[in-house]
Amino acid sequence: MAKLDVDKDLIRDLAELLEETGLSEIEMEDNGRRLRVARGGTPAPATVSPPPVAAPASESPDDQDPASHPGVVHSPMVGTVYLAAEPGAAPFVTIGDKVSIGQPLVIIEAMKTMNQIPAPIAGTVTRILIADSEPVEFDDPLMVIE
Amino acid sequence: MFEKVLIANRGEIALRIHRACREMGIATVAVHSTADADAMHVRLADQSVCIGPPNAQHSYLNVPAIIAAAEITGADAIHPGYGFLAENANFAEIVEEHGFTFIGPKADHIRLMGDKIAAKRTVRKLGIPTVPGSDGPLERGDDVATLARKIGYPVLIKASAGGGGRGMKVARTPEELDTALAAARSESKSAFGDDTVYLEKYLGNPRHIEVQIMADSHGNVVHLGERDCSLQRRHQKVLEEAPSPALNAADRRKIGDTVRKAIGKLGYLGVGTIEFLFENGEFYFIEMNTRLQVEHPVTEMITDLDIVREQINIAAGTPLSCRQKDITFSGHAIECRINAENPDSFAPTPGRVSDYHAPGGLDVRVDSALYAGYTVPPYYDSLIAKLIVHGRTRNECLMRLRRALEEFVIGGIHTTIPLHLKLVTEPEFIDGLYSIRWLEDWLARPKG
């Protein structure tokens, strides 16, 4: 292997450039040789770890992922979900309501037909995870009944 | 032109459609079952909608879910891919009734070609040669034995509602006729809900040769040459090539023109494939597929046309990009269908793909939705990749195919790559001397 030729002048120039510009690192490559000059101290990490994922606004801060809650009601179909039987009417259920099996919770509209979605279990509605007129996919968590 | 297309399919073809849309600046919506939430095309699509649980009945065949997904995403057209609802005339109608454009032929033509007896009658009137047969359904009280004798044994009893090789029984001698007839009727009833059958001459050793056509809404119909799909196992195509080693330029021109004129008279819209059995220099129509086919890439490789793009253009009312005189056939292309199956037993092997490395290089194309870490679900058909290779000559193509197969790495599951590697060095395949029975015979030969 050829003896490495160190161009001290170039390195000094680069170091000055770092000072002048406030950069922390300069790297250059020429003819297969690469030169990197960095300021002293701990090098900046190559990747920045992502900030912790913020909890979505609709969820209350004190709990687990609602989709895995045993009492979650999943959407059985694709469509647009409505919380009331018609615009302006009172919602089928609100938080705190006690529901029995089969009681309508929401309506999902698809292909111009309204489909009532019944409660699969009896209990108390503790969380409502969708907003009125929102599109829903199959399996989307709608509510939590405990 | 459409702003947003919903892709009503999965796997490699969904990715294919997404790619064509993306290249045309069209936004895509990927509908998927829960089992396909991590599919490649779902990750790449502009929007995705989960439409149901893994089983196809409740997801990819779930018409209301697909329409609802189109509604909530504001799609303006739906591409059905192949299989699933692609040849479901009711679906095509429902799509249009709800204000979306169905990227495919008119529902009436889908329905017509789905009825094998009506299809045969129609194409014969349009000048396409057909297999001699009963020319209609076998009615109870018909003298089937006399009819069979007139056609000449062996005869084939086919389900009118069948297709794709299903619902067929052979009677080689008059003694076998009644049993074959009863079996065909009962199988057809349970598989297709309809026990209507018809009779055809059974061809001894034909090749399967199909012709690709495209027809736009401006009266332009073109044929894109033929594909030889004779290598089949249990009526499933394993490898396809274009052009067919059995045809010369004159044969191609003749059948191409016959088909093109017939489709023109039919008033068909979209892409389609007319399938023939070819024996002793004669073509015999078996069925027409009113959809995009799995093996469309081999035609793309020799004509330099993007068939999916043309399909989308046709559906949007744009003229075809070329006229017949502009279409040239260059070189040779072969496609290997790679399945997640044991290459010897053909048992399906779903599971996690631990390593994935696709072959590359000049004229090598891989249509696959695989990636390292992807889990092939057990709920759907086993096709996981298509390797398509082009060469200036068939020989160059074969050399390149072998080279590409050698490079292909799909780790963690069994695949049929080893089968293709053996095929590619098999002298009878290299010589192009094979018919539709060849592959099964070859597979049955004792090893070693």
Side-chain angles (χ1 to χ4, degrees):
Chain A
M1 191 163 142
K3 181 167 174 289
L4 273 176
D5 234 332
V6 178
D7 185 342
K8 296 201 186 67
D9 288 336
L10 173 59
I11 294 177
R12 243 176 244 119
D13 284 346
L14 288 175
E16 272 167 27
L17 203 50
L18 279 180
E19 280 299 314
E20 272 174 41
T21 58
L23 289 170
S24 51
E25 191 178 303
I26 295 178
E27 187 175 304
M28 48 186 285
E29 189 174 318
D30 183 21
N31 270 333
R33 292 171 59 178
R34 194 162 47 201
L35 180 63
R36 186 171 138 257
V37 176
R39 269 181 207 264
T42 12
T47 53
V48 180
S49 49
V53 178
S58 58
E59 290 186 34
S60 49
D62 56 45
D63 77 346
Q64 62 189 125
D65 172 18
S68 59
H69 191 291
V72 76
V73 179
H74 291 285
S75 174
M77 57 183 283
V78 181
T80 305
V81 68
Y82 299 111
L83 300 178
E86 45 190 41
F92 287 102
V93 295
T94 53
I95 292 183
D97 281 357
K98 286 200 176 10
V99 297
S100 43
I101 293 186
Q103 183 171 337
L105 299 175
V106 294
I107 279 179
I108 296 182
E109 177 194 2
M111 292 174 73
K112 309 280 185 282
T113 60
M114 301 297 185
N115 306 271
Q116 284 191 349
I117 309 303
I121 55 173
T124 307
V125 177
T126 56
R127 306 192 47 203
I128 295 178
L129 303 165
I130 53 343
D132 194 66
S133 301
E134 214 178 74
V136 288
E137 305 180 36
F138 175 80
D139 241 16
D140 272 352
L142 301 174
M143 300 190 174
V144 178
I145 298 177
E146 292 182 32
Chain B
M1 180 44 65
F2 308 121
E3 308 249 319
K4 191 180 281 188
V5 165
L6 183 147
I7 302 166
N9 214 296
R10 63 172 302 281
E12 70 87 18
I13 197 62
L15 181 58
R16 173 75 186 88
I17 298 162
H18 164 82
R19 285 171 168 162
C21 289
R22 192 121 186 94
E23 288 176 12
M24 295 169 77
I26 300 172
T28 54
V29 178
V31 297
H32 64 91
S33 70
T34 50
D36 280 334
D38 289 326
M40 174 74 83
H41 82 286
V42 172
R43 298 166 72 154
L44 293 172
D46 294 291
Q47 287 175 276
S48 70
V49 180
C50 182
I51 54 169
N55 90 49
Q57 207 62 39
H58 296 118
S59 51
Y60 299 104
L61 296 171
N62 185 341
V63 174
I66 292 167
I67 302 291
E71 283 174 352
I72 64 174
T73 55
D76 36 22
I78 297 181
H79 195 308
Y82 54 64
F84 292 128
L85 296 167
E87 283 170 297
N88 185 315
N90 291 335
F91 178 62
E93 276 169 350
I94 290 171
V95 167
E96 296 279 335
E97 274 163 25
H98 281 80
F100 308 104
T101 303
F102 179 74
I103 300 177
K106 303 172 199 162
D108 286 341
H109 288 142
I110 298 176
R111 197 164 278 127
L112 174 66
M113 295 305 171
D115 173 345
K116 303 306 168 191
I117 293 178
K120 207 176 155 187
R121 272 199 196 119
T122 304
V123 304
R124 197 172 44 243
K125 284 199 210 122
L126 296 170
I128 289 182
T130 57
V131 189
S134 62
D135 298 345
L138 293 178
E139 312 284 0
R140 300 189 192 280
D142 274 354
D143 186 354
V144 185
T146 307
L147 189 53
R149 200 173 47 244
K150 276 215 301 241
I151 293 170
Y153 282 90
V155 294
L156 189 58
I157 300 143
K158 296 173 85 165
S160 180
R166 298 169 65 204
M168 312 197 317
K169 284 270 179 279
V170 185
R172 293 177 198 281
T173 65
E175 291 71 38
E176 288 181 15
L177 184 60
D178 286 336
T179 326
L181 204 48
R185 281 209 170 102
S186 86
E187 267 184 37
S188 179
K189 181 89 189 172
S190 63
F192 313 114
D194 176 351
D195 71 352
T196 312
V197 296
Y198 60 109
L199 213 56
E200 265 186 5
K201 179 160 189 54
Y202 181 65
L203 297 174
N205 212 18
R207 299 182 80 114
H208 173 121
I209 297 183
E210 57 190 39
V211 177
Q212 176 76 54
I213 54 100
M214 306 193 299
D216 67 17
S217 54
H218 301 260
N220 186 14
V221 183
V222 299
H223 77 84
L224 300 183
E226 83 283 6
R227 294 183 288 260
D228 194 316
C229 309
S230 304
L231 287 173
Q232 300 180 17
R233 176 184 174 266
R234 299 195 182 173
H235 302 289
Q236 295 295 300
K237 296 166 184 168
V238 166
L239 179 154
E240 304 98 352
E241 51 179 316
S244 168
L247 298 188
N248 58 37
D251 295 326
R252 175 170 312 113
R253 214 168 11 247
K254 179 154 171 258
I255 193 63
D257 278 342
T258 304
V259 163
R260 187 168 70 90
K261 291 200 181 80
I263 296 302
K265 280 190 245 165
L266 189 59
Y268 188 78
L269 187 71
V271 309
T273 299
I274 290 86
E275 296 192 330
F276 294 96
L277 291 177
F278 178 75
E279 187 170 66
N280 295 328
E282 298 291 335
F283 284 96
Y284 301 98
F285 170 85
I286 37 174
E287 59 188 58
M288 177 173 183
N289 294 324
T290 52
R291 57 173 161 80
L292 181 69
Q293 298 219 194
V294 174
E295 59 271 23
H296 73 274
V298 291
T299 298
E300 292 183 325
M301 300 292 264
I302 63 167
T303 56
D304 245 349
L305 293 169
D306 181 332
I307 294 176
V308 179
R309 174 189 291 236
E310 299 286 343
Q311 236 190 336
I312 296 170
N313 274 328
I314 292 168
T318 310
L320 284 172
S321 69
C322 52
R323 308 203 73 89
Q324 191 67 57
K325 61 177 171 54
D326 305 317
I327 295 171
T328 54
F329 303 103
S330 161
H332 200 96
I334 298 178
E335 170 182 279
C336 290
R337 294 197 191 190
I338 294 165
N339 293 340
E341 285 170 359
N342 181 297
D344 299 310
S345 68
F346 299 99
T349 56
R352 189 172 171 278
V353 174
S354 54
D355 302 277
Y356 181 72
H357 178 84
L362 177 68
D363 272 355
V364 172
R365 166 176 169 179
V366 174
D367 279 22
S368 172
L370 292 183
Y371 55 89
Y374 172 70
T375 299
V376 177
Y379 311 101
Y380 312 111
D381 73 77
S382 54
L383 178 66
I384 52 169
K386 290 159 18 186
L387 170 62
I388 309 112
V389 156
H390 178 265
R392 286 169 305 177
T393 63
R394 188 167 184 270
N395 226 55
E396 186 178 289
C397 186
L398 285 167
M399 294 293 287
R400 180 160 289 142
L401 180 59
R402 178 159 136 189
R403 189 274 294 161
L405 283 165
E406 286 167 357
E407 285 178 16
F408 212 155
V409 174
I410 303 178
I413 54 170
H414 284 300
T415 71
T416 50
I417 289 174
L419 169 65
H420 288 291
L421 272 165
K422 284 203 210 112
L423 266 176
V424 135
T425 56
E426 183 53 51
E428 283 163 358
F429 172 67
I430 292 171
D431 290 339
L433 300 171
Y434 55 83
S435 67
I436 62 173
R437 309 199 202 294
W438 185 87
L439 182 63
E440 283 184 352
D441 288 344
W442 178 76
L443 287 168
R445 287 184 210 168
K447 313 246 184 295

